[in-house]
Amino acid sequence: MHEGVNREKKRHTLINPMVFSSVESSQDAFKQAAHYLNQVYNLKDTIVVTNSDGSSGYEADKFESMDGYSKQHEHFRDLFHVHKKIKERLSFDKPMAKQVEKAIYQYDWDRIETLCATIESRLIDLPEVIIEDRLEQIRKLKNYLSRNWVYIKPFKKRELSIDRGTGAGETGHRLYTYRMKRQGRSWTKKGASHVVAILTAEKNGLLQTALTAEITDKVESLGEEIKGAVRQALKKIDSTAKQSKRVLSSIMVRKAAL
């Protein structure tokens, strides 16, 4: 979650970013995000722009339920995944796949239908079983585009008082994938939850607070899971000064490895 992008030459940085994570469920991550969104912002005066690949648990309605009563909510289907779907379905006709991508940029549904018909007409001099399979791929692609058409609409074609969107949806995952998927690593759910909590806290600038703050009976729900997970990850280490240095050294190694 962020408030926009600062663009200085080739360097782009997010404005007031905040990361939310969960190894339990997408609903749990959405719950954390919703709490933060409603506590920090006056949504009556806020335009909320969301972006996802549309996979299970990350459909548009999940984002709509998260933002509560915002001034306006605009959801986008991530174009990286749209183009990936086009390439997968039309791998047998790459020139026409490029034409479909161009029609997506133009947001021209009539053109999409014309192109699909043209692709079908090009299926000649092939075994019947191959033709049937490719016709099925075309049908699935057309259904996918039709189902997501309202979310594919380009940012500049929507009536908004802002002129830029959220960017690619994949970028935020790298914090976790680079640390947890290298060298064929595997994790227990508990171990993964601890590492994810540490990475999330570090990304949000909350790691030092989570390590040093006193635990009370009343804890803000946003930091409760982070604090608990970090404490669990470090609970076997004695609280001597020497061992505390080893804890901080271990965390710095993780940071350097990202």
Side-chain angles (χ1 to χ4, degrees):
M1 187 180 296
H2 60 88
E3 297 176 11
V5 181
N6 277 326
R7 291 171 171 81
E8 297 180 2
K9 296 182 179 180
K10 294 184 178 181
R11 182 177 176 81
H12 294 177
T13 57
L14 299 181
I15 301 172
N16 295 328
M18 184 64 68
V19 177
F20 305 93
S21 61
S22 174
V23 298
E24 296 296 333
S25 65
S26 59
Q27 291 92 333
D28 184 51
F30 273 112
K31 183 179 179 181
Q32 296 177 44
H35 176 82
Y36 179 84
L37 186 63
N38 285 276
Q39 290 293 318
V40 174
Y41 299 100
N42 179 358
L43 296 183
K44 292 181 180 179
D45 298 321
T46 303
I47 297 176
V48 177
V49 179
T50 58
N51 180 27
S52 79
D53 62 2
S55 58
S56 179
Y58 298 91
E59 300 88 353
D61 63 316
K62 304 300 190 302
F63 291 88
E64 290 169 359
S65 63
M66 177 189 71
D67 79 345
Y69 299 98
S70 64
K71 176 181 178 181
Q72 186 174 351
H73 176 218
E74 294 287 332
H75 185 72
F76 289 78
R77 184 63 66 244
D78 187 61
L79 278 181
F80 171 85
H81 291 91
V82 174
H83 291 170
K84 182 178 178 181
K85 183 70 70 174
I86 293 171
K87 289 181 173 66
E88 288 175 352
R89 296 300 185 196
L90 301 180
S91 60
F92 57 88
D93 197 337
K94 293 181 180 179
M96 293 304 294
K98 291 186 180 296
Q99 291 297 316
V100 173
E101 289 181 0
K102 185 177 180 180
I104 292 293
Y105 278 118
Q106 297 170 341
Y107 199 60
D108 188 339
W109 180 253
D110 290 339
R111 179 65 174 159
I112 294 291
E113 290 188 319
T114 299
L115 288 170
C116 287
T118 302
I119 297 169
E120 291 178 1
S121 70
R122 290 158 64 94
L123 299 177
I124 56 176
D125 300 328
L126 294 171
E128 184 176 347
V129 63
I130 293 179
I131 291 177
E132 289 180 357
D133 177 70
R134 292 182 177 179
L135 286 174
E136 179 66 8
Q137 295 302 316
I138 296 169
R139 184 191 67 81
K140 287 182 177 179
L141 175 61
K142 189 175 180 180
N143 286 343
Y144 169 82
L145 295 177
S146 175
R147 187 169 62 251
N148 293 287
W149 192 244
V150 64
Y151 308 124
I152 292 173
K153 188 173 184 179
F155 203 89
K156 292 182 179 179
K157 289 186 178 292
R158 306 195 192 198
E159 296 181 1
L160 297 170
S161 58
I162 50 180
D163 61 359
R164 295 185 185 273
T166 60
E170 290 293 307
T171 306
H173 300 168
R174 293 175 185 171
L175 169 68
Y176 304 99
T177 57
Y178 284 5
R179 173 64 180 85
M180 303 183 71
K181 296 176 73 172
R182 287 180 176 177
Q183 302 172 343
R185 291 170 179 156
S186 60
W187 305 84
T188 63
K189 182 177 180 180
K190 186 176 182 180
S193 68
H194 293 166
V195 175
V196 166
I198 290 173
L199 292 174
T200 302
E202 183 179 43
K203 180 69 174 178
N204 291 336
L206 299 173
L207 183 57
Q208 189 63 31
T209 300
L211 290 172
T212 59
E214 292 292 330
I215 298 178
T216 62
D217 294 334
K218 275 192 160 184
V219 185
E220 290 291 335
S221 62
L222 177 64
E224 186 173 3
E225 181 177 348
I226 292 174
K227 183 177 292 187
V230 172
R231 295 286 185 179
Q232 284 293 318
L234 303 176
K235 68 180 180 179
K236 294 183 179 180
I237 300 174
D238 294 332
S239 59
T240 65
K242 183 178 180 180
Q243 289 169 323
S244 294
K245 289 182 180 179
R246 289 207 295 267
V247 173
L248 294 177
S249 175
S250 175
I251 292 171
M252 293 303 292
V253 169
R254 289 194 183 104
K255 181 177 181 182
L258 292 178

